[in-house]
Amino acid sequence: MMKRFAILSVLAAFTMVISSCSNDDEPNFHFTALRALSAEVPESFELNERYQITVTFERPDGCTFFEGFDVTSPDTTVRDVVVIGSVFTDRACTTEVEEIEVSFDFVVIHDQTYTFRFYEGQDDEGEHQFFEITVPVN
């Protein structure tokens, strides 16, 4: 549980660093974790090979833009994957929700099954939720 909060804490700290470089008193954006809807991964991996993993995420409005991924390793072959977006706060936004596909490269460095946990938002009690995909290594 603590590691999940660490991901979002890193985002908050990064936002503070970026905004402290601004001449304005108020930053015009902040970073946020976006909801992953699905992910495409191979059925299996080969050791020392590179693979492209495609993630479909929800863009909640016209002021939110894809910035990248935060991929952490809470265990040897577990990867927590969070889609990161920036939200501009100084403009009028469309409210149209959009599904967008993005990808990242992954290199297999262990000969054990990998578990990918994709961040999909919070439940009604504020708990972070993930969907999991396991991929064996041949």
Side-chain angles (χ1 to χ4, degrees), residues 56-124:
T56 301
F57 74 93
E58 182 178 87
R59 180 180 179 211
D61 56 46
C63 285
T64 303
F65 297 91
F66 173 73
E67 290 297 330
F69 293 95
D70 184 16
V71 181
T72 58
S73 304
D75 199 3
T76 303
T77 58
V78 175
R79 299 296 182 268
D80 286 347
V81 180
V82 181
V83 180
I84 304 299
S86 58
V87 181
F88 287 90
T89 57
D90 63 347
R91 60 184 76 172
C93 302
T94 62
T95 57
E96 181 179 339
V97 176
E98 188 177 8
E99 291 184 11
I100 298 176
E101 277 189 4
V102 290
S103 299
F104 65 93
D105 287 339
F106 180 74
V107 177
V108 179
I109 59 173
H110 299 286
D111 62 357
Q112 303 160 353
T113 297
Y114 280 84
T115 300
F116 292 90
R117 299 174 351 135
F118 296 90
Y119 179 76
E120 59 181 345
Q122 294 180 351
D123 64 14
D124 293 337

